[in-house]
Amino acid sequence: MIVFEYKRNNNNGKCGNCNRYNTSPAWCQTCDPQTVVQGWTSGNEKIDDCIKEFQIKTTEYENVIECIPFNRLCNIQMISEDVLSSIFLATWLNGIRTISDNKQSRTQSCGVNLKTLPSSQNLLNVLEEFKDYMQLENKKHKVYGITQNSITCEYMIVFDEFYSKRHHDNGKCRNCNRYNTSPSWCQACDLQTVIQGWTSGNENIDDCIKEIQIKTTKCDDVIEWIPFDRLDNLRKNGEYGFGSEFSAIWLDGIRVILGETSKFVQSRTLPCEVNLLSFLRPQNLLNFLREFKDSIHSENKQYKIYGITQNTITGEYMIVFDKFFSDRKISYGKCKNCDRYNTSLDWCQTCGPWTSGNMNIDNCIHEYKEIIQWIPFHRLYNIQVIGKGGFGTVFSASWLNGKRINANQRTSIIVALKSLPGSRKNFLREFKNYMKLRLIGSKLEVYGLTRNADNEYLMVFQYANIGNLRNYLISNFRKFNWKNKLKILIDVTKYLNQIHIAGYIEESDSEGVYGVLPYVAPEVLNKQPYTTASDIYSFGVIMAEISTGKPPYYDIDYDVNLASRICKGLRPEFAKGIPECYIQLANQCMNVNPSCRPTASNMYDKLSSFWYYTMYNYDEIFKEALGIKKAFESADLTIPTLLTTIPNYSQAKFTSKLLNFKNLSNSFNSFESKPLNFQIHSNPLNSSFYDSTLQKCFISNNADN
Ligand SMILES: [Zn+2]
Ligand SMILES: [Zn+2]
Ligand SMILES: [Zn+2]
């Protein structure tokens, strides 16, 4: 017995049989060949002997050749034929031998090639030819074994026709674990997936397309059968003798390779403008395709064909192609929309300027072009769910260098993404309604539209929540008199209402909620869902804070004790001399029972009436109005004393933290709770000045993020 001691190395693992280090990875050249030759027969002694002769000399696990039963090979397609032999593509159900986790293993079923041996009927000649092939070709075309076609009885070599094209830089095939033959493309495995599983409904056309497909050597050269409903917005551009030329949007986008050397990935562009040529008779298409097939590897291709489709209305076959292929040059840069090279400097003849790829959406964006833009989804990252419900899902995201701050400068900001109610079809109508309201009223700022990987359109708009509304109030309006404080509070309730209508609610879960403790509603501290009423609670706390000019409970720690006390009914104090109506309203906001709190719209109405009363001189007969006016006027007198007593406290206390308290006592209410009955006032305000102030504030806040 040969021992191969010099080859044994601990990096190869230990042999399970002789317990010595292996001679190559997961392979003991003394023991493993003995195992491989055991326990099988092809049914023909001469073949067995020939194969076993190779097996016994095998030095590496992955080089073992074997007799492969023909029924383990399927999807057999001819690639080429000549007088002497034919080459096929097939799927080997057993998969090829590979080492995984330092153990002998096999890949999943994968693509291999078959080659008929010229003298296939004469066994002795076959074996000679096989031995020659092993000697001459095994380096260039890795051999896996031999099989016999059970119908024709021909012997065939099972091998890898593309072995010499496999290269590390192309990355590894996910299927067979061999290096790819071109970037992110395994000629053996990927071709199989392209060829299988579709039909045009016409056998001749199927065959013709498959003949072209089988010559594909690069992922982005694949010609595919394109279902007609994947083409949108078909427009006729001209007629010819044999048919017509059209433009359309291909919803699936063009195949592209992304990534870098050894880490390439197959991908597709966004829905993309393509050209189409129709053929009145199928024969015309066949002639065209045959001509195309012959020119497939010629250097100066004028067109690039993406696929074939059939117009389901007229029955005409059409090729889907790029008319401007020969104009595209690397030096012109890449088109941001279709990812192809431009046809002239910074200009793509097909796409023109930046586009969503959908004409209706483009038109809509054009309509509001001063305000909104198309935002490619890949510019949005760090996407997180912040709200869910009947209105759809709201996300927050970072928009990479998105927000324009001046003519040639953009900055990254946090934005919100939201799908609009209604089906995809109604999206634009919903969006236009939203924009109309926005232009009349003062909705949150809309930045544009985007489309996610599921082809869902989303509106991209200003990110706002009760937290940054507070920052706005507290930092800017300490010095304001009550008339102005009320006006600002009114604007905040207006925004809050819009946020709530937009379905814009923070999400909390079993992990707790992010926030600054005193502003978080007791039910949320108790792990109940965060609702619009939880925002109203925070608003009540802010109302108290505005009255004192001091953060709530600033002199004690924001810890579990405080959380527990809040749940037991602790509420912030109000400054002396604050009108009773104001305190009552704030306390209603801080009611322990969320359903007893007013809505943002109620608050807007109520605060508006307060403000209205402070504005005018009332007769004695409007006792209530006069009383409220006088109460706020006398509260103004205490403002200077508040300013001189601003406490020292750490800003760190007011950064948002994850709040997750266990076993807080059940909440009970320290206030009487009665149903609210707000009067509806017509809007007495023209608050457009404050709206624009508030918007500016948001924009600068966002720009800081
Ligand atoms: Zn051994
Ligand atoms: Zn593969
Ligand atoms: Zn383009």
Side-chain angles (χ1 to χ4, degrees):
M1 186 181 276
I2 311 166
V3 185
F4 303 110
E5 208 55 58
Y6 65 100
K7 281 185 162 184
R8 300 193 183 275
N9 182 318
N10 63 354
N11 291 330
N12 298 327
K14 270 194 176 175
C15 168
N17 189 51
C18 67
N19 209 31
R20 290 171 297 187
Y21 292 126
N22 284 319
T23 54
S24 62
W27 184 260
C28 171
Q29 205 170 332
T30 314
C31 308
D32 282 303
Q34 301 295 334
T35 320
V36 170
V37 297
Q38 306 294 325
W40 65 269
T41 173
S42 67
N44 181 308
E45 214 174 303
K46 289 201 175 77
I47 292 179
D48 289 2
D49 287 349
C50 170
I51 297 299
K52 288 181 186 188
E53 203 178 302
F54 283 110
Q55 286 181 337
I56 206 79
K57 287 186 251 169
T58 309
T59 58
E60 279 174 44
Y61 171 69
E62 288 176 342
N63 292 342
V64 172
I65 60 159
E66 54 199 303
C67 265
I68 299 166
F70 192 66
N71 63 12
R72 302 306 294 159
L73 297 160
C74 61
N75 297 333
I76 298 173
Q77 306 262 341
M78 187 185 288
I79 298 179
S80 66
E81 75 184 314
D82 59 33
V83 190
L84 292 175
S85 76
S86 309
I87 295 179
F88 301 86
L89 183 64
T91 301
W92 184 12
L93 297 172
N94 293 38
I96 58 176
R97 288 171 191 256
T98 187
I99 291 170
S100 149
D101 287 337
N102 296 319
K103 288 197 189 73
Q104 297 184 2
S105 171
R106 280 181 180 271
T107 67
Q108 53 194 316
S109 66
C110 73
V112 290
N113 300 101
L114 310 177
K115 183 190 175 83
T116 53
L117 288 164
S119 52
S120 180
Q121 307 296 335
N122 179 326
L123 186 57
L124 284 180
N125 291 350
V126 163
L127 292 179
E128 281 312 307
E129 279 166 8
F130 182 75
K131 283 178 188 170
D132 285 350
Y133 195 88
M134 283 296 287
Q135 204 155 34
L136 298 171
E137 298 286 331
N138 197 15
K139 284 244 155 56
K140 218 168 94 197
H141 298 128
K142 189 180 174 87
V143 176
Y144 300 118
I146 192 163
T147 189
Q148 186 181 20
N149 185 326
S150 49
I151 299 151
T152 64
C153 294
E154 279 176 316
Y155 286 97
M156 292 190 275
I157 299 177
V158 181
F159 73 114
D160 181 8
E161 163 83 357
F162 314 111
Y163 187 65
S164 57
K165 288 172 80 182
R166 299 190 181 278
H167 194 274
H168 166 271
D169 287 357
N170 299 325
K172 272 195 173 179
C173 170
R174 280 168 167 230
N175 196 52
C176 68
N177 208 35
R178 294 172 290 195
Y179 289 124
N180 284 315
T181 53
S182 63
S184 198
W185 174 264
C186 172
Q187 186 96 25
C189 300
D190 285 295
L191 250 192
Q192 291 281 21
T193 60
V194 166
I195 292 172
Q196 311 297 331
W198 61 269
T199 173
S200 69
N202 177 316
E203 214 174 304
N204 290 333
I205 289 175
D206 281 6
D207 289 348
C208 191
I209 294 174
K210 286 183 189 197
E211 276 172 41
I212 296 173
Q213 283 178 334
I214 211 144
K215 295 192 187 304
T216 311
T217 57
K218 279 160 59 197
C219 174
D220 41 7
D221 281 347
V222 169
I223 289 177
E224 55 197 300
W225 177 255
I226 301 172
F228 191 63
D229 61 4
R230 302 311 295 155
L231 295 160
D232 199 13
N233 197 15
L234 189 73
R235 287 145 284 148
K236 189 186 268 193
N237 299 329
E239 276 184 41
Y240 305 98
F242 56 86
S244 309
E245 198 203 309
F246 301 83
S247 296
I249 287 157
W250 185 12
L251 296 173
D252 298 320
I254 299 167
R255 287 170 185 260
V256 284
I257 299 288
L258 301 179
E260 47 197 59
T261 303
S262 85
K263 288 184 199 121
F264 295 108
V265 281
Q266 295 185 11
S267 182
R268 283 181 178 268
T269 65
L270 293 170
C272 174
E273 184 86 9
V274 287
N275 309 104
L276 295 98
L277 216 51
S278 72
F279 297 88
L280 290 171
R281 297 188 306 123
Q283 193 53 45
N284 294 137
L285 172 68
L286 283 175
N287 292 342
F288 181 91
L289 288 179
R290 287 198 186 109
E291 228 168 86
F292 176 79
K293 191 177 71 182
D294 293 336
S295 70
I296 205 161
H297 291 300
S298 81
E299 285 295 304
N300 302 315
K301 267 184 287 180
Q302 206 184 347
Y303 300 144
K304 176 151 186 149
I305 299 187
Y306 299 124
I308 320 289
T309 188
Q310 185 179 21
N311 186 327
T312 45
I313 299 148
T314 65
E316 283 171 300
Y317 286 96
M318 304 168 120
I319 60 161
V320 179
F321 73 114
D322 176 17
K323 192 173 159 177
F324 305 105
F325 181 71
S326 59
D327 297 333
R328 300 189 185 280
K329 303 236 159 60
I330 296 180
S331 55
Y332 298 151
K334 266 197 176 180
C335 168
K336 283 171 187 160
N337 187 57
C338 68
D339 235 28
R340 294 174 290 198
Y341 293 120
N342 285 315
T343 53
S344 58
L345 194 61
D346 292 332
W347 177 264
C348 172
Q349 186 77 33
T350 324
C351 305
W354 191 284
T355 159
S356 73
N358 175 311
M359 197 156 71
N360 295 329
I361 300 252
D362 281 356
N363 289 343
C364 173
I365 288 174
H366 188 74
E367 210 173 304
Y368 299 103
K369 66 173 182 291
E370 304 301 326
I371 309 160
I372 63 165
Q373 65 178 82
W374 176 251
I375 300 170
F377 196 64
H378 65 260
R379 305 295 289 176
L380 299 163
Y381 63 101
N382 196 12
I383 296 171
Q384 287 166 356
V385 174
I386 55 173
K388 257 183 197 162
F391 48 79
T393 306
V394 184
F395 307 88
S396 68
S398 299
W399 181 18
L400 188 66
N401 283 336
K403 172 90 187 151
R404 191 186 287 276
I405 44 178
N406 58 42
N408 44 24
Q409 216 185 340
R410 286 172 179 270
T411 180
S412 300
I413 57 164
I414 309 279
V415 292
L417 313 177
K418 182 180 175 301
S419 56
L420 288 173
S423 68
R424 281 180 202 186
K425 234 182 181 172
N426 292 332
F427 176 83
L428 275 182
R429 204 169 55 210
E430 296 282 348
F431 180 74
K432 283 183 180 170
N433 282 340
Y434 189 93
M435 290 303 284
K436 259 182 222 147
L437 285 172
R438 180 195 170 275
L439 294 174
I440 299 163
S442 60
K443 294 263 172 178
L444 299 168
E445 192 174 358
V446 178
Y447 300 126
L449 294 171
T450 189
R451 180 181 35 226
N452 66 17
D454 296 332
N455 275 327
E456 243 175 347
Y457 289 102
L458 300 159
M459 189 167 74
V460 181
F461 64 115
Q462 185 181 328
Y463 181 77
N465 61 20
I466 188 78
N468 50 30
L469 289 174
R470 173 195 171 265
N471 293 340
Y472 168 73
L473 273 171
I474 300 303
S475 55
N476 296 298
F477 297 95
R478 210 192 286 273
K479 292 176 188 166
F480 276 43
N481 65 19
W482 273 100
K483 207 186 284 179
N484 288 330
K485 282 184 206 273
L486 285 172
K487 209 164 180 182
I488 301 302
L489 281 172
I490 290 162
D491 279 338
V492 171
T493 56
K494 198 167 161 187
Y495 268 81
L496 209 48
N497 188 36
Q498 285 154 7
I499 292 166
H500 290 171
I501 289 170
Y504 208 125
I505 306 158
E506 303 283 325
E507 199 181 40
S508 56
D509 54 30
S510 56
E511 297 299 309
V513 66
Y514 278 92
V516 181
L517 177 55
Y519 301 93
V520 178
E523 74 273 11
V524 177
L525 295 175
N526 264 317
K527 309 269 171 78
Q528 300 298 305
Y530 198 110
T531 63
T532 53
S534 317
D535 269 354
I536 296 296
Y537 178 93
S538 312
F539 186 78
V541 178
I542 292 168
M543 283 177 76
E545 185 174 358
I546 283 176
S547 82
T548 61
K550 295 168 194 161
Y553 327 117
Y554 65 90
D555 49 353
I556 58 172
D557 285 337
Y558 290 179
D559 60 7
V560 64
N561 290 328
L562 178 59
S564 168
R565 287 172 68 194
I566 290 171
C567 289
K568 285 178 182 155
L570 179 69
R571 294 294 181 268
E573 286 178 347
F574 292 82
K576 285 208 175 71
I578 296 299
E580 196 52 37
C581 60
Y582 181 88
I583 297 176
Q584 272 179 15
L585 190 61
N587 279 337
Q588 282 165 348
C589 292
M590 294 185 284
N591 193 304
V592 75
N593 182 350
S595 61
C596 293
R597 294 174 201 153
T599 64
S601 157
N602 295 151
M603 290 301 292
Y604 174 84
D605 292 339
K606 198 73 186 170
L607 289 165
S608 296
S609 68
F610 291 168
W611 178 82
Y612 201 66
Y613 298 151
T614 64
M615 287 294 287
Y616 301 100
N617 290 319
Y618 290 92
D619 206 284
E620 283 295 328
I621 49 168
F622 298 109
K623 267 214 170 65
E624 194 200 344
L626 194 61
I628 288 173
K629 179 183 166 74
K630 289 204 162 141
F632 279 108
E633 277 169 1
S634 75
D636 278 343
L637 301 175
T638 65
I639 291 174
T641 62
L642 297 177
L643 285 175
T644 59
T645 56
I646 298 169
N648 281 326
Y649 53 84
S650 149
Q651 275 300 322
K653 230 173 165 174
F654 295 92
T655 52
S656 184
K657 296 177 187 70
L658 182 66
L659 304 174
N660 185 4
F661 301 112
K662 291 185 181 75
N663 306 323
L664 292 177
S665 0
N666 283 334
S667 316
F668 67 89
N669 201 357
S670 62
F671 307 100
E672 58 170 353
S673 52
K674 56 182 177 194
L676 293 163
N677 184 14
F678 284 103
Q679 265 179 282
I680 305 300
H681 292 259
S682 60
N683 182 358
L685 296 172
N686 176 1
S687 54
S688 59
F689 164 73
Y690 285 101
D691 285 341
S692 61
T693 316
L694 202 53
Q695 282 207 353
K696 275 179 204 145
C697 161
F698 274 124
I699 292 161
S700 59
N701 275 350
N702 281 338
D704 294 343
N705 285 330

